[in-house]
């Protein structure tokens, strides 16, 4: 570890060192003293000396600039607003605000009432194909930004929402979808157990993850039925392009199906209508049961459905990672994928191509 950290010191410039040189319990110079990196040239030795002497140049970052602005005194509110607007425009045109920082500050940028040119640059940046690809943002970051702006009373919000929709569509571009000949059913679990935060410090719920993954995959399918289940199963048709708006539409309507986990109804509906599909995909926490006490379950119904659709496959995405198995996953037509990440569709594609999913997961982890 010491050797690895020492080598890491050779990879950063003064701006990068200064940006993360915080007044913490262990400072940057403490780390330098501990690992004893060897400077690769004279210029880097000068840089290391600056670290030791606390002489690193203060970096030009949006955090530093706005912090400095906040310490100034203004005679009127109007003067302060003008200063904030000017500073945001300066930061935007300097290209010093990174992609994640831009997503997190969209509300601040709108409320600063920056110029049309500045806002256009922001929208072009967050919807730029290369910027989206390089940012490696989880899809839920776009949803968080969308929700932050949705209720904002500002006449230019719609422009930014459009840019966010374009960005998330680009983020879904590499997801392996299905052609017009592949019939797919995608079902989102909106039961009470799904309304659980993914961590103590997050506002994102399993509910959000399930809906977002549903809409991402739905956007890549040509022949798809999408809906949600709780006490009942309900098909809800939404546009394939407006991913974030569709998530919000499902979110708004979740009470329409109740809060149980009757996932078996998805398969029962296919049996009843004798509708033949190739793939049935459930995004759930796999706490599936039958609140109607009818004795029906997803395992027995799937067995019956296979009699009329022998080539059909069932995919259960256990987003909570509890490891529950509501039916035999050792069958060659049933797949259980536990947990989630932005690479979850890579695993799905590997399974469908007959590749080893474990090898795919290991590759993703590396």
């Amino acid at each position: 570890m010491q050797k690895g950290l020492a080598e890491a010191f050779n990879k950063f410039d003064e701006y990068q060192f200064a940006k993360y040189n915080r007044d913490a319990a262990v400072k940057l110079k403490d780390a330098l003293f501990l690992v004893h990196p060897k400077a690769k040239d004279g210029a880097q030795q000068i840089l290391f000396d600056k670290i030791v002497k606390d002489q690193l140049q203060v970096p030009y970052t949006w955090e530093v600039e706005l912090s400095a602005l906040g310490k100034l005194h203004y005679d009127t509110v109007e003067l302060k607003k003008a200063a904030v607007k000017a500073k945001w425009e300066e930061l935007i045109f300097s290209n010093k605000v990174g992609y994640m920082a831009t997503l997190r500050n969209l509300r601040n940028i709108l409320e600063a009432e920056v110029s049309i040119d500045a806002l256009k640059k922001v929208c072009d940046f967050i919807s730029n194909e290369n910027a989206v690809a390089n940012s490696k943002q989880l899809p839920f970051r776009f949803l968080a930004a969308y929700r932050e702006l949705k209720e904002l009373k500002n006449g230019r919000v719609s422009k930014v929402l459009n840019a966010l929709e374009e960005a998330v569509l680009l983020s879904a571009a590499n997801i392996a979808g299905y052609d017009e000949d592949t019939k797919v059913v995608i079902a989102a679990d909106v039961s009470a157990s799904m309304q659980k935060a993914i961590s103590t410090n997050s506002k994102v719920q399993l509910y959000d993850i399930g809906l977002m993954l549903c809409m991402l995959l739905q956007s890549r399918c040509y022949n798809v039925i999408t809906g949600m289940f709780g006490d009942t199963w309900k098909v809800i048709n939404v546009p394939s392009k407006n991913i974030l708006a569709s998530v919000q539409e499902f979110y708004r309507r979740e009470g329409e199906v109740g809060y149980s986990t009757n996932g078996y109804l998805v398969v029962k509906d296919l049996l009843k209508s004798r509708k033949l599909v190739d793939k049935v995909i459930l995004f759930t926490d796999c706490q599936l049961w039958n609140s109607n006490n009818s004795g029906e379950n997803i395992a027995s119904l799937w067995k019956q459905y296979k009699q009329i659709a022998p080539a059909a496959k069932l995919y259960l995405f256990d987003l909570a990672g509890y490891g529950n198995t509501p039916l035999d996953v050792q069958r060659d037509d049933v797949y259980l994928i536990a947990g989630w990440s932005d690479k979850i569709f890579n695993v799905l594609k590997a399974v469908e191509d007959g590749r080893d999913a474990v090898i795919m997961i290991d590759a993703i982890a590396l």
Side-chain angles (χ1 to χ4, degrees):
M1 184 182 290
Q2 183 178 8
K3 182 180 178 183
L5 287 170
E7 291 177 353
F9 266 87
N10 298 127
K11 298 178 180 179
F12 303 108
D13 57 24
E14 184 169 3
Y15 173 85
Q16 292 167 315
F17 277 129
K19 184 175 180 181
Y20 296 103
N21 186 30
R22 299 184 178 125
D23 188 17
V26 179
K27 299 178 176 61
L28 188 59
K29 66 179 178 182
D30 295 328
L32 187 141
F33 290 145
L34 283 169
V35 302
H36 304 293
K38 183 178 180 180
K40 58 186 178 183
D41 53 35
Q44 191 168 72
Q45 185 58 58
I46 293 173
L47 180 55
F48 288 170
D49 291 341
K50 283 187 175 183
I51 294 174
V52 172
K53 298 174 183 177
D54 291 321
Q55 293 178 347
L56 289 171
Q57 184 176 348
V58 177
Y60 178 91
T61 66
W62 68 272
E63 299 102 323
V64 170
E65 292 297 304
L66 290 176
S67 177
L69 191 67
K71 295 175 182 177
L72 299 177
H73 172 73
Y74 302 93
D75 292 331
T76 65
V77 173
E78 287 72 21
L79 284 174
K80 183 176 181 178
K81 285 182 177 180
V84 171
K85 175 184 177 181
K87 180 56 66 177
W88 268 117
E89 289 178 355
E90 177 190 323
L91 288 167
I92 290 166
F93 289 112
S94 73
N95 299 316
K96 290 293 185 181
V97 186
Y99 197 90
M100 180 180 282
T102 300
L103 284 183
R104 289 180 171 177
N105 281 286
L106 288 174
R107 180 175 187 142
N108 292 331
I109 291 169
L110 280 166
E111 291 183 335
E113 298 181 351
V114 298
S115 68
I116 293 297
D117 287 341
L119 189 63
K120 184 178 184 302
K121 183 174 174 62
V122 168
C123 291
D124 289 346
F125 177 46
I126 62 177
S127 61
N128 178 272
E129 184 174 1
N130 291 330
V132 171
N134 293 332
S135 73
K136 296 180 172 60
Q137 294 297 306
L138 288 169
F140 318 109
R141 301 291 187 196
F142 299 107
L143 180 60
Y146 187 90
R147 286 178 173 169
E148 180 75 14
L149 302 182
K150 196 72 175 67
E151 305 304 323
L152 194 62
K153 294 179 180 179
N154 187 300
R156 298 189 292 178
V157 166
S158 60
K159 298 295 183 185
V160 183
L161 295 182
N162 286 339
L164 286 170
E165 288 283 15
E166 291 175 28
V168 80
L169 263 179
L170 288 169
S171 75
N174 292 325
I175 293 174
Y178 300 107
D179 59 29
E180 58 192 19
D181 295 324
T182 306
K183 299 179 180 66
V184 186
V185 172
I186 303 175
D189 181 348
V190 294
S191 64
S193 61
M194 288 287 286
Q195 296 181 27
K196 174 185 176 184
I198 60 174
S199 71
T200 54
N201 297 321
S202 177
K203 294 181 180 179
V204 178
Q205 298 179 335
L206 292 175
Y207 190 101
D208 299 317
I209 292 169
L211 292 180
M212 192 70 189
L213 293 175
C214 271
M215 294 303 108
L216 286 169
L217 186 56
Q218 188 248 14
S219 74
R220 303 292 295 152
C221 297
Y222 286 88
N223 193 335
V224 57
I225 295 171
T226 310
M228 58 187 180
F229 65 88
D231 296 331
T232 60
W233 155 243
K234 186 170 189 175
V235 173
I236 299 178
N237 295 311
V238 290
S240 61
K241 288 188 176 181
N242 298 328
I243 293 175
L244 300 173
S246 295
V247 170
Q248 288 301 97
E249 175 70 5
F250 270 60
Y251 202 88
R252 182 180 66 82
R253 298 178 62 175
E254 48 89 15
E256 294 179 14
V257 297
Y259 300 97
S260 295
T261 51
N262 296 329
Y264 76 92
L265 292 174
V266 179
V267 181
K268 183 178 179 178
D269 184 50
L270 291 173
L271 262 172
K272 183 179 179 180
S273 63
R274 298 189 69 81
K275 186 173 185 61
L276 304 183
V277 300
D278 301 295
K279 303 177 190 300
V280 180
I281 302 172
L282 272 62
F283 291 98
T284 174
D285 59 4
C286 273
Q287 298 192 66
L288 302 173
W289 64 307
N290 184 339
S291 66
N292 298 316
N293 298 315
S294 64
E296 297 167 305
N297 58 66
I298 195 169
S300 61
L301 289 168
W302 183 250
K303 187 175 180 179
Q304 293 176 52
Y305 185 66
K306 288 290 289 185
Q307 294 176 8
I308 66 170
K313 293 183 178 181
L314 175 63
Y315 298 88
L316 300 173
F317 283 84
D318 176 8
L319 303 177
Y322 293 139
N324 297 330
T325 52
L327 68 170
D328 185 3
V329 296
Q330 294 184 26
R331 300 168 51 124
D332 61 3
D333 60 353
V334 178
Y335 303 91
L336 175 68
I337 302 173
W340 63 271
S341 82
D342 58 328
K343 304 297 183 183
I344 199 168
F345 296 113
N346 298 57
V347 177
L348 177 60
K349 184 67 167 61
V351 169
E352 294 189 337
D353 290 347
R355 290 179 284 154
D356 190 322
V358 175
I359 294 175
M360 170 60 72
I361 292 168
D362 286 341
I364 290 171
L366 293 175

